[in-house]
Amino acid sequence: MMLRIEKAVYGGAGLAHQAEGEGTGRAVFVPFTLPGELVEASATESKAGIINAELVQVIEASSDRVKPKCAHFGECGGCHYQHANYKAQLEIKMEISRETLERAGLVKLPEVEVHAGEPWHYRNRIRLRVAKVDGVLRVGYLRRGSNDFLPIEMCPIAAPILWRAAEALLELAETSDAARWMEKITEVEFFTTQDESALQMTVFTQHRVAGFDAFCERLQELLPELVGAGASMLHAEGSRRAERPRVIASWGAEGLSYAVAGEKYWVSRGGFFQVNRFLVDDLVRMVTSGRQGALAWDLYAGVGLFSRALKTSFGEVVAVEAAADDLIKTFKGDGRRAVAATTVEFLRGAVVQRERPELVVMDPPRAGVGAEVCTLLGRVAAKEIVYVSCDPVTLARDLKALVDFGYQIKELHMVDMFPQTFHQETVVVLDCP
């Protein structure tokens, strides 16, 4: 079917509608297309009044269309916008962000400020599958829309050292004394510092194998930046247990010291940290700079990325994190309080105590903060909230609830932490008159 792409939508596809005479004018979603393009597409799925389709060919291309930089683009499920120049990617994301908020009933929004960095080699962490293909060990990701293994030969959104580490691992696999370890690995994760001076590795296996120290030492000869590594046991295929992988071996340092905006953060192996090594400094300054007072709360604090910066201008900072191992170890001292609890648990207690901070910072996972947190924050009525979101849909839902409780949206920032993909980070500043 011939389609004129009307706009890009969240998720990476272009939206069109069936022409008169071809059907009922149903919405059609076509990946790897750009607004204004005339394309030929083939339907792959039809349900609930919409059609999902695959791009067959571009008949009239947008002036924003460019040649993808990665040889695996389109097959790999990781990137969605490599066919668009970077300026167009930013415009698409900005429009999606604003439209999503307006659809939730949010009006009189401030202008969206766009913040961008280097669009390539930005990731400080990657996790690769490991498998044999025609008898040769390869690393890769999943094919788009499937669980099938896709062997890769490049990943231009990853920091160069991460791909060099993958190549070193494959080189090591060619030596007989390392082969027994390599053949047991099903996945491997690499994490590096902003300047690529140090590297952590986690390998995942379903089998115990002796000699992990020797294996890591051999890898370090090829990769001097490797400072620590761990091995974790995955559950057997078909297992219903939901527990995290169990650590079965460790070598070297247990984590990395990561420098951001003048502070150093200890990130344990496997711990969460912002993935864009070029924009994290700007993100911290955007959230914390110019704010001061007696009390600030940092909810969903992680390793305390924002908490440390806030301590320079607040008398007391309370950092709240459910998985708070790194936070409790490092966020210590006068005026610093780390709380190992969920945000809901913490806020329930704070409401009872009638605490009211000048500032609440929250950086929740993709699911957002949810109805109860919004209700509790409405009762707290902090003077200012800074909401850092990685999903515009759940952000819009939560912002509507907070606005209904009396908060006003003062600033909107679209921070492109994930170039070449549909994912976006949004920073919203709200105040409570």
Side-chain angles (χ1 to χ4, degrees):
M1 55 184 155
M2 295 293 194
L3 298 166
R4 180 70 70 178
I5 303 301
E6 301 161 19
K7 62 180 180 180
V9 295
Y10 187 63
L15 170 67
H17 286 84
Q18 283 182 304
E20 291 292 333
E22 292 188 4
T24 59
R26 289 183 296 174
V28 186
F29 297 95
V30 190
F32 312 122
T33 58
L34 295 173
E37 290 187 327
L38 180 65
V39 304
E40 181 185 354
S42 176
T44 58
E45 183 183 37
S46 178
K47 61 179 182 179
I50 66 170
I51 298 173
N52 291 316
E54 285 294 312
L55 177 65
V56 175
Q57 63 174 325
V58 177
I59 298 169
E60 295 178 9
S62 166
S63 59
D64 293 324
R65 181 171 285 274
V66 296
K67 182 180 179 181
K69 191 169 184 174
C70 181
H72 308 293
F73 179 66
E75 288 186 283
C76 175
C79 290
H80 316 92
Y81 287 151
Q82 286 194 28
H83 60 294
N85 67 52
Y86 192 46
K87 180 175 180 292
Q89 291 185 34
L90 295 174
E91 290 173 351
I92 285 170
K93 292 183 179 183
M94 182 176 66
E95 288 302 315
I96 288 172
S97 177
R98 175 172 287 278
E99 183 178 332
T100 304
L101 296 178
E102 290 175 345
R103 194 182 301 119
L106 296 164
V107 296
K108 297 181 181 179
L109 295 170
E111 287 297 315
V112 180
E113 297 183 42
V114 178
H115 306 264
E118 291 294 324
W120 300 101
H121 304 298
Y122 63 88
R123 288 193 64 94
N124 57 27
R125 187 191 305 268
I126 58 173
R127 183 161 171 169
L128 298 160
R129 300 292 180 103
V130 183
K132 277 191 174 181
V133 178
D134 297 329
V136 178
L137 205 66
R138 302 286 300 275
V139 296
Y141 297 122
L142 294 179
R143 291 186 183 275
R144 182 173 64 91
S146 79
N147 289 318
D148 297 336
F149 176 70
L150 174 69
I152 63 170
E153 297 178 355
M154 62 171 63
C155 185
I157 63 172
I161 192 176
L162 301 181
W163 183 247
R164 184 156 57 84
E167 291 180 318
L169 199 64
L170 294 178
E171 182 180 343
L172 191 63
E174 297 177 1
T175 63
S176 58
D177 56 340
R180 61 177 180 168
W181 249 107
M182 288 300 303
E183 291 178 356
K184 302 299 183 183
I185 295 174
T186 57
E187 296 178 62
V188 59
E189 180 177 274
F190 296 110
F191 175 57
T192 188
T193 52
Q194 190 276 341
D195 60 1
E196 304 180 87
S197 62
L199 182 78
Q200 276 284 345
M201 177 182 74
T202 304
V203 298
F204 298 90
T205 177
Q206 291 181 349
H207 308 277
R208 284 189 173 275
V209 183
F212 186 64
D213 287 3
F215 170 74
C216 294
E217 288 163 6
R218 286 293 309 277
L219 183 60
Q220 191 183 46
E221 293 174 7
L222 300 173
L223 195 66
E225 296 89 348
L226 184 68
V227 298
S232 292
M233 178 80 78
L234 293 171
H235 300 307
E237 188 174 350
S239 171
R240 294 184 179 180
R241 293 190 300 171
E243 297 96 333
R244 297 176 62 183
R246 180 164 50 91
V247 177
I248 58 173
S250 182
W251 171 86
E254 296 288 338
L256 291 177
S257 179
Y258 204 112
V260 177
E263 295 280 349
K264 287 188 176 180
Y265 300 83
W266 179 256
V267 185
S268 292
R269 188 183 307 121
F272 171 78
F273 201 76
Q274 291 287 348
V275 75
N276 191 311
R277 64 196 183 103
F278 299 131
L279 276 180
V280 65
D281 290 63
D282 290 342
L283 180 65
V284 170
R285 283 190 285 266
M286 196 181 311
V287 170
T288 65
S289 181
R291 296 183 167 89
Q292 59 185 359
L295 176 63
W297 293 346
D298 183 10
L299 310 179
Y300 312 91
V303 298
L305 182 64
F306 304 121
S307 305
R308 291 195 177 203
L310 290 170
K311 187 59 190 75
T312 63
S313 55
F314 281 85
E316 182 181 15
V317 176
V318 180
V320 181
E321 173 58 48
D325 291 350
D326 285 344
L327 185 67
I328 290 173
K329 291 176 185 176
T330 60
F331 195 64
K332 299 177 179 179
D334 185 45
R336 302 183 181 195
R337 182 157 66 97
V339 178
T342 67
T343 291
V344 168
E345 291 168 343
F346 170 77
L347 288 176
R348 286 170 181 164
V351 166
V352 172
Q353 298 297 323
R354 297 186 179 181
E355 296 182 55
R356 190 191 184 202
E358 284 89 347
L359 174 68
V360 173
V361 171
M362 47 192 190
D363 184 7
R366 199 167 300 281
V369 302
E372 185 174 2
V373 168
C374 291
T375 299
L376 292 168
L377 287 171
R379 294 175 63 184
V380 169
K383 293 179 181 178
E384 190 173 48
I385 293 177
V386 181
Y387 190 148
V388 183
S389 167
C390 59
D391 188 301
V393 177
T394 57
L395 171 66
R397 176 203 66 201
D398 293 339
L399 288 181
K400 182 61 169 65
L402 290 170
V403 167
D404 288 345
F405 279 113
Y407 288 93
Q408 297 178 347
I409 298 175
K410 293 195 325 182
E411 299 175 25
L412 274 175
H413 302 266
M414 198 285 287
V415 190
D416 196 28
M417 300 291 281
F418 314 98
Q420 317 308 327
T421 82
F422 72 79
H423 302 291
Q424 57 179 274
E425 198 94 350
T426 309
V427 177
V428 185
V429 181
L430 306 99
D431 66 6
C432 188

